Amino acid sequence: MPETSPRIDRLLHDLSADGAPVLAEFWREVADRGTPLVERVDSDSALVTFLWRGEAAQTSTGWGINLPLRRVPGTDVWHGSERLPLDLHTIYFLRHGATDLPTDATGRGPTHLDPLNHHPFRFPADPADPNDRELWASLLELPRAPDDPWSRPRPGVPRGTLLSASVRTTAWGGRRRVAVYRPAAAADGPLPLLVVFDGYLARALLRVPTTLDNLIAAGRIPPTMALFVTASSGTRRIDELRPSAALRAFVTRDLLPWARRRWPVTDDPARRVVAGSSLGGLAAAYVALAEPGAFGAVIAQSGSFWWPASAEPAEREWLTRAYAGWPAAPVRFYLDVGDRENTCPRPGQLDQLSVSRRFRDLLVARGHQVSYAEYRGGHDYVNWRRTFADGLRTVLGAGRREPAPPGRTT
């Protein structure tokens, strides 16, 4: 039988005796304490209770936590409890029959952040994209959540420079926006190159430039140049980042030659990295495997290796099936995925955790050097922000270890 919150049990007991005054005191306490409630902590987990105050036909949490809430009869109290690991770090929001991420911080609407959570999480809108929208959620960080030491600015660390540019593309037509990061530290010879998809969020939300600053200053990676490629929002992003000849041509015929003409970047594929999260992770892996000699390393965080979302089993996990029949490419990988990405978000789509494991297994079987991790959380920018540094240290680290023997996962 599921555990119940001790605080909710006490509320139910007190309501039977004192009624409305007890309820008012409960909400004052919760507003001061903040939500969710963390109770019954043991050696590795805690009972976490999510709360909402209001009127609705149904209420549940969404994103990293999927939990139905139930109403205390005759009150405005909705609650749901789940035992969760003490090192969990994720985001969530409240929903009332809808599924989209909240678009403001008011705490109102069919989906909204948790108004009693003191730690809102903002997805900034790209100011250069009129179709992009600001989104919001709430942060859940349990007591043993791992620290994020690399993505915060550090005193005394020189900051690289960022400049805005655009690349003319024959592959897609027109121009594409690119932000160029140049490290503060001097380099001996050509610079390693990092290409990151979903460039605006990688800069603004994942804080990749700050992570690069810190890792370079600490000597964990060499001075590295980065190109942040920004795709438009909505269906255009999906069209451009899905596996296609146009995506390969943009990166290899438009972007890389453009960068080499302007900056002292390496011609050595082993020192070029392509990276992305979610659909961007799929795009990164696809380009590296479909264009041998373009990149020597991939960072793919929760890569959409389920693609395409099809009801036909023969079409699912296209890249995993396709690469099984291609010549092996000399590419090393850093892959990670959340251990809570184990549900199917929509009909016909496979869960992220399973497809990531199968893609990893194929890479290992084909002799790739693979560093693979399952972090505690969901499809989470809060975790990708932290683990991007792990990816950089793995594939670019100044003291990067020799490739593992074929078939070994590290």
Side-chain angles (χ1 to χ4, degrees), residues 102-109 111-115 136:
T103 56
D104 61 51
T106 63
R108 298 188 296 270
T111 66
H112 55 85
L113 49 66
D114 182 347
W136 290 85

Side-chain angles (χ1 to χ4, degrees), residues 139-372:
L139 183 66
L140 172 63
E141 189 172 37
L142 292 185
R144 293 185 193 160
D147 192 20
D148 179 10
W150 297 107
S151 73
R152 301 187 189 96
R154 295 182 175 186
V157 168
R159 298 178 64 180
T161 58
L162 275 172
L163 62 90
S164 298
S166 65
V167 178
R168 185 179 301 278
T169 168
T170 56
W172 283 328
R175 306 188 75 90
R176 290 299 178 273
R177 290 185 293 123
V178 177
V180 181
Y181 167 91
R182 300 180 68 184
D188 296 327
L191 293 166
L193 181 64
L194 169 69
V195 174
V196 189
F197 292 118
D198 288 317
Y200 178 73
L201 286 180
R203 288 157 40 219
L205 192 55
L206 299 188
R207 305 174 190 159
V208 173
T210 300
T211 299
L212 287 166
D213 289 340
N214 290 331
L215 290 174
I216 292 168
R220 300 299 183 91
I221 63 173
T224 298
M225 187 167 175
L227 306 177
F228 296 91
V229 181
T230 300
S232 299
S233 57
T235 56
R236 186 170 170 183
R237 170 181 177 267
I238 296 172
D239 289 342
E240 292 190 354
L241 292 185
R242 65 180 178 83
S244 69
L247 172 62
R248 299 199 319 266
F250 167 73
V251 174
T252 60
R253 300 178 196 170
D254 297 329
L255 183 66
L256 293 181
W258 172 84
R260 287 197 299 269
R261 288 193 299 268
R262 285 162 175 79
W263 293 284
V265 295
T266 183
D267 284 328
D268 181 1
R271 300 174 69 224
R272 292 199 296 247
V273 183
V274 60
S277 55
S278 195
L279 188 60
L282 172 72
Y286 167 71
V287 169
L289 295 176
E291 289 285 342
F295 295 93
V298 171
I299 299 172
Q301 299 177 287
S302 297
S304 298
F305 301 122
W306 48 264
W307 185 88
S310 171
E312 297 297 327
E315 297 179 8
R316 298 172 181 170
E317 298 180 82
W318 179 87
L319 180 58
T320 302
R321 293 185 298 101
Y323 184 56
W326 296 349
V331 182
R332 57 194 184 276
F333 280 81
Y334 173 85
L335 306 173
D336 66 26
V337 64
D339 66 353
R340 300 184 69 83
E341 297 188 73
N342 56 359
T343 58
C344 302
R346 58 179 65 92
Q349 183 172 321
L350 302 175
D351 73 271
Q352 202 94 25
L353 185 58
S354 297
V355 299
S356 294
R357 289 171 176 173
R358 283 195 287 272
F359 185 63
R360 171 205 61 191
D361 292 346
L362 172 67
L363 294 174
V364 170
R366 302 211 65 189
H368 290 269
Q369 179 186 350
V370 181
S371 180
Y372 175 85

